[in-house]
Amino acid sequence: MAVIGLIAGEGSFPILVAEQLKKQGYDLKIAAIENHADKKIEEYASAFIWAHIGQLKKSIDFFKRENVKELILAGRVRHASVFSIKPDIKAVKLIASLKDKKAATMLGALCDLFEKEGLKILSSVEPLENMLFRDKVYTRRKPSKKEIKDIALASSAARALSSRDIGQTAVVKDGVVVALEAMEGTDMCILRAGELAGAGTVVVKVARPKQDTRFDVPIIGLRTVKKLVRSGAAVLCAEAGSSLFFEQEESVRLADENGICIIGVRS
Amino acid sequence: MAVIGLIAGEGSFPILVAEQLKKQGYDLKIAAIENHADKKIEEYASAFIWAHIGQLKKSIDFFKRENVKELILAGRVRHASVFSIKPDIKAVKLIASLKDKKAATMLGALCDLFEKEGLKILSSVEPLENMLFRDKVYTRRKPSKKEIKDIALASSAARALSSRDIGQTAVVKDGVVVALEAMEGTDMCILRAGELAGAGTVVVKVARPKQDTRFDVPIIGLRTVKKLVRSGAAVLCAEAGSSLFFEQEESVRLADENGICIIGVRS
């Protein structure tokens, strides 16, 4: 059985990735990030450790010991935790080598470090191709003319963010940009927009222009849709072909129950 | 004594404007926006009304009755309240005529409406020229080299927002954009950044490229500095020549007590 490593961050993404990989017959060795990963992830592993976000040596040693040659990164690392990191020596060296602390820079350097240690980082999209967002309306409700205008405005604002490696999400209502995502993440951005502007917001999440699919894939799942419901959002639009849509059935059902429109658009 | 009208929104700005106008010998007629203006504002007026944000006719009638020909708008209107407005007929017509609901569009149309009624809107900067931000470091502490880099990054992000009429503030720490302002306003943006990234953030507030000084002047004052203290911010940078700096003495004192650097930079 082929061995594959998985570094598991926050959310249901790592669990869904692990599930897919198991289905495809892989033997999983999982390093889960402390205070981030779901405890359930352990069930999918034939070998498992918890590692603090700064314990790079511990993770590398674990994967080497378990004969891992190929590795997948899955799940969000709270960007804020970057500032409270307790780095080991490898992490200190990594951080010292960075030109800035943007997510893409840090994760790119992390991938390079792993690859130097003989651990190849695979695209997390590859085993999940069937989950890529498609160019269609998923829900019963289609976007209204007014909402299509708001989608265009939010897309343009989100693209301005993503091209600068700041965030990926913009929320618009009635032609006004209500909230832009920076470090707080998509969920908090959606909730803030609802608090500021009330129901009826349009949420657009885009990929980066130069997306590194080893770590940088926008993901929509049930957790996102729950946030949409809580904030009274009307529309969620994601980029077809470059975003992943998890838990599609439950997500669409919940969206339909709440009159929310979920749409994939090719850029 | 020359009569001048004042529409008073949120914060200490209207009070400071009223103070300056009184000092210059004007007879003030004030319409204060309900749930926005400070009650103290009444003290400065020889005639005074409270008006809901949607009661345009009430305000116009008041100013006409009081022989007002020239008018100043001062103080923030919470953008979020735009969605809960209860418009009178004049306000309904105004809203129906808008091409979008951006702040600049709405306030521009409001100014046009007032001017059509014979009420000229003056620049709020004019009576306050001595309070314009200057190109200098106000505090004992100068920005460090690292902070100067963060100022440059935040300025560029804030300019991207302001040029699209989204917001005016960006907060950066260690080369990462932590928070961007949209509808929530500068204060909430500063506090969120502190919660996400901890102490040491760099806050930059810029003017719009085509600033309409009748309503669109970025303002820094003691309230802003208190938010900086609460969020542990390290630097506040504003645009010299186009932002106003109120309550300078107390603001600088409070900043100095907390090791904060306040700097004005000409763009």
Side-chain angles (χ1 to χ4, degrees):
Chain A
M1 202 155 50
V3 169
I4 198 163
L6 178 67
I7 296 185
E10 227 176 29
S12 52
F13 183 33
I15 302 211
L16 290 154
V17 172
E19 221 170 67
Q20 287 288 322
L21 291 170
K22 288 277 278 186
K23 266 190 203 161
Q24 293 172 37
Y26 284 102
D27 177 20
L28 258 71
K29 315 292 183 180
I30 301 179
I33 302 175
E34 268 180 40
N35 301 321
H36 282 74
D38 191 318
K39 277 174 190 155
K40 275 195 298 191
I41 193 77
E42 192 168 353
E43 294 169 23
Y44 297 89
S46 65
F48 182 86
I49 57 160
W50 285 104
H52 189 276
I53 192 171
Q55 291 178 317
L56 293 187
K57 190 174 176 336
K58 184 175 176 183
S59 306
I60 290 167
D61 289 348
F62 163 73
F63 287 125
K64 284 184 174 173
R65 204 164 57 230
E66 297 295 338
N67 262 319
V68 169
K69 301 271 183 270
E70 295 184 320
L71 199 56
I72 284 182
L73 308 182
R76 222 169 80 93
V77 170
R78 283 187 302 276
H79 202 152
S81 65
V82 164
F83 294 112
S84 55
I85 205 170
K86 284 175 216 121
D88 64 16
I89 290 173
K90 277 196 195 296
V92 167
K93 282 187 186 159
L94 180 81
I95 294 166
S97 76
L98 299 171
K99 66 178 199 310
D100 59 55
K101 284 187 187 171
K102 289 180 180 179
T105 311
M106 299 192 78
L107 288 164
L110 186 69
C111 289
D112 293 346
L113 173 69
F114 277 117
E115 305 210 336
K116 236 181 271 168
E117 301 274 355
L119 297 158
K120 188 171 156 47
I121 313 284
L122 301 180
S123 160
S124 52
V125 176
E126 241 163 87
L128 300 165
E129 268 215 300
N130 56 334
M131 288 180 179
L132 278 174
F133 240 98
R134 296 199 345 238
D135 190 1
K136 68 169 198 173
V137 178
Y138 284 85
T139 47
R140 282 201 294 266
R141 195 168 78 72
K142 291 181 172 33
S144 69
K145 273 191 190 164
K146 212 182 96 208
E147 286 167 347
I148 289 170
K149 272 193 191 171
D150 283 349
I151 288 174
L153 174 58
S155 298
S156 129
R159 251 173 255 292
L161 300 182
S162 73
S163 68
R164 289 157 184 261
D165 195 15
I166 295 174
Q168 303 182 311
T169 309
V171 188
V172 165
K173 183 177 164 181
D174 297 347
V176 176
V177 179
V178 180
L180 294 175
E181 177 197 5
M183 200 191 282
E184 73 276 26
T186 301
D187 291 356
M188 271 184 62
C189 181
I190 292 171
L191 293 177
R192 179 169 79 250
E195 280 163 24
L196 289 166
T201 56
V202 169
V203 178
V204 174
K205 189 165 183 174
V206 301
R208 254 176 264 282
K210 284 183 203 159
Q211 184 171 280
D212 186 333
T213 55
R214 291 179 303 177
F215 51 78
D216 194 19
V217 191
I219 294 160
I220 305 295
L222 190 56
R223 203 178 80 167
T224 323
V225 180
K226 282 180 181 167
K227 298 292 183 295
L228 296 172
V229 172
R230 214 174 114 193
S231 78
V235 177
L236 172 75
C237 175
E239 217 168 349
S242 54
S243 303
L244 291 167
F245 189 6
F246 282 136
E247 305 155 304
Q248 292 191 16
E249 217 172 292
E250 306 97 292
S251 294
V252 170
R253 193 184 314 127
L254 182 62
D256 276 338
E257 280 167 18
N258 290 277
I260 294 168
C261 164
I262 298 181
I263 180 171
V265 172
R266 196 162 293 276
S267 68
Chain B
M1 202 156 49
V3 168
I4 196 162
L6 177 67
I7 297 187
E10 228 177 29
S12 53
F13 183 33
I15 304 215
L16 288 155
V17 172
E19 221 171 66
Q20 287 287 323
L21 292 170
K22 287 280 277 188
K23 266 189 204 164
Q24 292 172 39
Y26 283 101
D27 177 19
L28 257 71
K29 314 290 182 181
I30 301 179
I33 302 175
E34 265 179 42
N35 300 321
H36 282 75
D38 189 318
K39 278 174 191 156
K40 273 194 301 190
I41 194 76
E42 191 166 354
E43 294 170 22
Y44 298 90
S46 64
F48 182 87
I49 55 158
W50 284 104
H52 189 277
I53 192 171
Q55 292 179 315
L56 293 188
K57 190 174 176 336
K58 184 174 173 183
S59 305
I60 289 167
D61 290 349
F62 163 74
F63 288 126
K64 285 183 172 172
R65 202 164 59 231
E66 297 294 338
N67 261 320
V68 169
K69 301 273 182 270
E70 293 183 318
L71 198 56
I72 283 182
L73 307 181
R76 220 168 81 93
V77 171
R78 280 186 305 275
H79 202 155
S81 66
V82 164
F83 294 110
S84 57
I85 204 169
K86 283 175 218 121
D88 65 15
I89 291 175
K90 277 197 193 295
V92 167
K93 283 188 186 160
L94 180 79
I95 292 166
S97 75
L98 297 174
K99 65 176 199 310
D100 59 55
K101 283 189 187 169
K102 290 179 180 180
T105 311
M106 300 192 76
L107 288 163
L110 186 71
C111 288
D112 293 347
L113 172 70
F114 276 117
E115 304 208 339
K116 233 180 273 167
E117 301 275 356
L119 297 158
K120 186 170 159 44
I121 313 285
L122 302 181
S123 159
S124 51
V125 176
E126 241 164 83
L128 300 165
E129 267 216 301
N130 56 334
M131 287 181 181
L132 277 174
F133 241 97
R134 298 204 337 241
D135 190 0
K136 68 168 198 174
V137 178
Y138 283 85
T139 46
R140 282 201 294 266
R141 195 168 78 72
K142 291 180 173 36
S144 69
K145 273 190 188 164
K146 212 181 96 211
E147 286 167 349
I148 290 171
K149 273 193 189 172
D150 284 349
I151 287 174
L153 175 59
S155 298
S156 131
R159 253 173 254 293
L161 301 181
S162 72
S163 67
R164 288 155 184 263
D165 196 15
I166 295 175
Q168 305 182 310
T169 308
V171 187
V172 166
K173 183 177 164 182
D174 297 346
V176 176
V177 179
V178 179
L180 295 176
E181 177 196 6
M183 199 189 286
E184 75 275 24
T186 301
D187 290 355
M188 272 184 61
C189 182
I190 292 172
L191 293 177
R192 179 169 80 252
E195 278 162 24
L196 289 165
T201 56
V202 169
V203 178
V204 174
K205 189 164 186 178
V206 301
R208 255 177 264 279
K210 283 182 201 160
Q211 182 172 281
D212 187 332
T213 55
R214 290 179 304 178
F215 51 79
D216 194 19
V217 192
I219 296 161
I220 306 293
L222 191 56
R223 203 177 81 166
T224 323
V225 180
K226 282 180 181 166
K227 298 291 185 293
L228 297 173
V229 171
R230 216 174 112 194
S231 78
V235 176
L236 172 76
C237 175
E239 217 166 350
S242 54
S243 303
L244 291 168
F245 189 6
F246 280 138
E247 303 157 305
Q248 291 193 16
E249 215 172 296
E250 306 96 294
S251 294
V252 171
R253 194 186 312 127
L254 182 61
D256 276 337
E257 279 167 18
N258 289 276
I260 294 168
C261 164
I262 298 179
I263 179 171
V265 172
R266 197 162 293 276
S267 68

